[in-house]
Amino acid sequence: MSIGPLPEHEQRVLDEVERALSRDRRLDRRLRTLRLRRLPDPTRLAACRPRTPTVLLLLAVSVTLMVAGIVTSAPGVIWAFAAVWPVTLFAVFRLLCRWTEGERPRPRPRPGQPV
């Protein structure tokens, strides 16, 4: 790799690429709004809409970890339950809120079917 200036044809190609990228509005917006955060955005988290199978899977995993933790008293299993349980409660709460608002679950579109 050379440290000197680029040859003329390479500089021309680079200028064309930069011009094309500067016209891309979506890329510009994504680059301007890119923020690295340590915590998730609470509004995005509150807008989470878990599906029924996901909630049932979380409940099954939580109950399995709880029973395994009670039977074995293994710290790793207890900590795994402690990590999964709040997520499960949140998912159940969001699912119940969605149902009480009268919103029906949307069917998934079939492959090849317009959304």
Side-chain angles (χ1 to χ4, degrees), residues 12 14-24:
R12 206 171 341 117
L14 183 62
D15 290 340
E16 289 176 21
V17 169
E18 287 177 349
R19 238 185 335 272
L21 288 176
S22 69
R23 288 190 302 260
D24 190 351

Side-chain angles (χ1 to χ4, degrees), residues 26-58:
R26 283 191 302 182
L27 176 65
D28 185 44
R29 183 175 54 235
R30 288 187 75 184
L31 288 174
R32 275 188 285 122
T33 60
L34 179 67
R35 291 184 212 115
L36 297 176
R37 295 182 178 178
R38 291 180 58 147
L39 297 174
D41 185 16
T43 56
R44 272 186 76 192
L45 192 60
C48 172
R49 300 160 60 112
R51 297 177 188 254
T52 306
T54 306
V55 175
L56 292 175
L57 178 70
L58 280 171

